[in-house]
Amino acid sequence: AAKSDPDGSYRFYDPNIQDSRAERRALEEALRSALDKREFELFYQPILDLGTNRMWGCEALVRWKHATKGMIPPLQFIPTAEESGLIGPIGDWILEEACATAMTWNLPLKVAVNLSPVQFKRRDVYASVTKALTLSGLPAQRLVLEITESVKLTEEATASLRRLKTLGVGISLDDFGTGYASMSYLRSFPFDKIKIDQSFVRGMMESSGSRAIIKATIGLANDLRMSTTAEGVETQEQLNALRVAGASQAQGYLIAKPMPREALEAFMTEIQNPQQTARAVA
Ligand code: C2E
Ligand code: MG
Ligand code: MG
Ligand code: MG
């Protein structure tokens, strides 16, 4: 219902909408100050190469270490960061931090970084990525960018991705199979890798449908000369079945949860020791 404001104008009176608008504005303000106060932190989740049984690299996953609310997961603030445009500077920080951290590792492992569709629309992605590589000194071959189908592959976006590929940066298609245009998307760009969404892996032991989709995706990737990473691997049975199906890599809680960079160093030292690897993920 519309009601009259003291100033005589009409507005729709809905306390919930008012709250959520005010909340969003407050969150935006908090994000802005979080960037200044350096409250964002990257966690790293190891990815296992199933061919060699060694680490392939890690995916960088952002968290917000809030002074009073504790650790806030990305899905609770990335959408607001995207709406407000703050994903631009936050995304640049993520790229720079991930590249700089990968430079400190003793092994030449890859680092995968998620890119938001808004970074493509509003920012020169090529410039952001090359700046992060130059600042850190990380060889382009060690950086992999993850994009989803929500990135519109306009001519400009495709041109940026092609230039990055020429430099040696890898491009992965994240959450494959969950969007509306997976097949035409695969045709629009020569991705290096397909990440099989965890929703397929989660049900794979119980559902022959999920297993069929995984098998077909791996076959398709092979024919397109793309590699595959299965996401959300939580059980030994899933890992075994994915090996048999021919997935290139596996990522999930069975191998390791996302962890702070300090914990990752200890993990990597342990996992590169073949005996330990055998115990953890044989
Ligand atoms: P994503 O890129 O598909 O990342 C994988 C998500 O699955 C991560 O959630 C990870 O913690 C979770 N995961 C990994 N293994 C398992 C498992 O075995 N079981 C279960 N249940 N979950 C698992 P997270 O870190 O909460 O990130 C969620 C999403 O937020 C990401 O999905 C990505 O789309 C977005 N995101 C994360 N970090 C960034 C970032 O730095 N920039 C942008 N633009 N988006 C990000
Ligand atoms: Mg990802
Ligand atoms: Mg994913
Ligand atoms: Mg996902």
Side-chain angles (χ1 to χ4, degrees):
K3 76 165 199 180
S4 186
D5 264 355
D7 64 3
S9 67
Y10 282 87
R11 64 181 169 89
F12 284 95
Y13 183 72
D14 181 341
N16 295 317
I17 287 176
Q18 290 279 316
D19 278 2
S20 71
R21 259 194 222 134
E23 247 168 53
R24 208 164 48 207
R25 226 174 299 124
L27 179 55
E28 234 177 88
E29 237 359 273
L31 282 172
R32 222 178 288 278
S33 92
L35 193 57
D36 289 341
K37 291 190 286 189
R38 304 181 168 278
E39 284 180 352
F40 294 110
E41 187 176 337
L42 294 186
F43 273 36
Y44 297 88
Q45 186 175 33
I47 299 173
L48 182 71
D49 188 298
L50 297 179
T52 61
N53 214 25
R54 295 190 163 231
M55 297 317 300
W56 169 86
C58 294
E59 178 174 3
L61 296 156
V62 71
R63 270 95 183 96
W64 178 7
K65 230 175 171 172
H66 193 281
T68 53
K69 290 179 187 149
M71 204 63 90
I72 306 179
L75 295 178
Q76 282 179 32
F77 65 88
I78 294 276
T80 304
E82 289 177 335
E83 282 162 32
S84 61
L86 280 168
I87 193 68
I90 295 174
D92 284 354
W93 177 83
I94 290 168
L95 275 167
E96 286 166 24
E97 173 72 14
C99 291
T101 297
M103 269 308 272
T104 69
W105 298 338
N106 293 324
L107 297 158
L109 299 177
K110 310 248 193 195
V111 65
V113 177
N114 293 283
L115 289 186
S116 151
V118 180
Q119 284 172 277
F120 278 84
K121 261 205 303 211
R122 298 212 192 171
R123 261 214 167 17
D124 183 350
V125 170
Y126 182 84
S128 293
V129 172
T130 48
K131 186 179 170 211
L133 290 173
T134 308
L135 284 175
S136 62
L138 187 75
Q141 286 72 17
R142 290 184 53 197
L143 178 64
V144 176
L145 303 174
E146 298 194 359
I147 66 171
T148 65
E149 282 175 52
S150 47
V151 171
K152 291 283 158 283
L153 287 182
T154 58
E155 244 169 76
E156 205 191 342
T158 312
S160 294
L161 289 178
R162 280 183 202 280
R163 282 173 79 200
L164 289 167
K165 251 190 99 129
T166 309
L167 287 182
V169 174
I171 316 287
S172 297
L173 180 50
D174 204 355
D175 302 347
F176 182 76
T178 58
Y180 293 103
S182 303
M183 293 302 160
S184 61
Y185 207 86
L186 271 185
R187 206 177 44 185
S188 336
F189 188 79
F191 291 95
D192 298 290
K193 189 210 280 242
I194 295 173
K195 296 194 78 171
I196 302 169
D197 191 69
Q198 53 188 53
S199 57
F200 300 107
V201 174
R202 190 173 306 130
M204 71 180 287
M205 300 322 291
E206 298 76 35
S207 152
S208 58
S210 291
R211 283 199 300 280
I213 290 166
I214 290 172
K215 199 174 145 210
T217 304
I218 293 169
L220 182 62
N222 287 343
D223 288 349
L224 293 169
R225 302 190 195 297
M226 300 174 185
S227 62
T228 47
T229 300
E231 301 191 87
V233 181
E234 293 187 353
T235 69
Q236 191 66 53
E237 290 70 32
Q238 291 167 347
L239 185 67
N240 295 345
L242 288 161
R243 269 188 213 281
V244 172
S248 325
Q249 289 117 22
Q251 174 179 1
Y253 294 169
L254 175 71
I255 295 137
K257 289 195 170 178
M259 58 185 97
R261 58 181 280 182
E262 300 78 32
L264 178 74
E265 271 153 44
F267 178 86
M268 285 195 305
T269 312
E270 195 180 307
I271 203 91
Q272 292 304 140
N273 173 335
Q275 271 175 328
Q276 297 279 358
T277 306
R279 202 190 54 198
V281 289

